[in-house]
Amino acid sequence: MRNLVVLPGDGIGPEIMKQVLRILQAVDSPFNYIEKDAGLTALEKHGSLLPDDTLQAITQHGLALKAPLTTPVGGGFKSINVTLRQKFDLYANVRPVVNLPGVFTRYEKVNLTIIRENTEDLYTGEERQVDADTAESIKRITRKGSERIARYAFEYARTHGKKSVAAVHKANIMKLTDGLFLKTCADVAKEYPEIQFRDVIIDNCCMQLVIRPEQFEVIVTENLYGDILSDLCAGLVGGLGVVPGANIGVQAAIFEPVHGSAPDIAGQNKANPTALLQSAVMMLHHVGEHERADRIMRALIKTLSDTQARTADLGGKGNTETFTNALIANL
Ligand code: NAI
């Protein structure tokens, strides 16, 4: 048995986490579940968005499944997600974006992975008010940060049978920061001659993605561009309800969906648990539980093709709980 820290989070988080744990239990997943608080729930209960006890559990066990957290707007609160990624140096944010059979979209052949640098760029939180009418934000890119994310992307391509990697940037304008990122990616690419490397400017990339997304296999990019591209790409394959993610570091890994806490549908049994479930599937692969992961994916695909079972965001008649019941019956 392996210890797994479970963060049910805020908004729709507890609802979808409950269903995903039912599915993990239905396939006898070899985990001891250690439930911890984070986000608004933790603030109300413990007076902190990210209690020490939660941080200690992740430090100790190194593996977490996380539902979305709500970061209060204003009030000086730093994003908990950004804090977690920086605290545990979870430098690689891996987001596979794949058409799922049964989920109708405008595109049919999307099968790409976004590898987003997760610790640098404009997300370090270093901003300052210059005067009443001017504010500045620091964009920090390092060779070390760029090199390890580029290497992660090429290794990912190699182990997942992908033939190409595209570095997405804006080095034509930000010559020093994005220039360093791009140059480092190009240097790392030379070590992987079997993988085709190209660079794409972020604005062109957005246009290419909505015209011919099948041309991309692996996208490696900086933190902000990766954040925005993730939502764009989620839209290509059915929306935020279906895209999973992993935050990978050397000492720890946290698996979480791309979407947020969806306050507009929280507490209504409407949320689609697919993105969190697929994040759990990525986690199963990460710990070597490939058979259980594949079994869940087969049942998921079958369930998604059933209109009665699918949730409303995918045009179905099911809800969070009935979708899970159907999926468990399909296991
Ligand atoms: P959101 O992703 O929560 O919601 C955007 C839209 O997608 C909403 O209409 C929502 O109902 C829908 N949606 C999202 N997930 C869904 C699901 N599983 N099933 C069906 N529909 C779904 O983004 P929003 O509204 O911008 O952010 C809400 C809160 O979430 C904010 O406090 C934000 O800070 C937080 N957030 C947290 C993240 C995390 O914990 N990783 C990531 C993004 C946002």
Side-chain angles (χ1 to χ4, degrees), residues 12 66 68-71 81 240-241 256 258-265 271-272 313:
I12 59 171
K66 176 184 157 298
L69 308 175
T70 300
T71 298
N81 298 308
L240 285 167
E256 62 174 347
V258 171
H259 65 73
S261 53
D264 53 338
I265 56 166
N272 186 350
D313 57 310

Side-chain angles (χ1 to χ4, degrees), residues 10 12 16 40 66-73 79-81 85 95 227 231 239-242 247 256-266 270-276 311-314 320:
D10 299 313
I12 59 171
I16 54 175
L40 269 191
K66 176 184 157 298
L69 308 175
T70 300
T71 298
V73 177
S79 159
I80 322 153
N81 298 308
R85 290 165 191 169
R95 292 172 162 180
D227 194 357
D231 276 39
L240 285 167
V242 299
N247 300 284
E256 62 174 347
V258 171
H259 65 73
S261 53
D264 53 338
I265 56 166
K270 282 184 182 165
N272 186 350
T274 299
L276 181 62
T311 45
D313 57 310
L314 301 178
T320 316

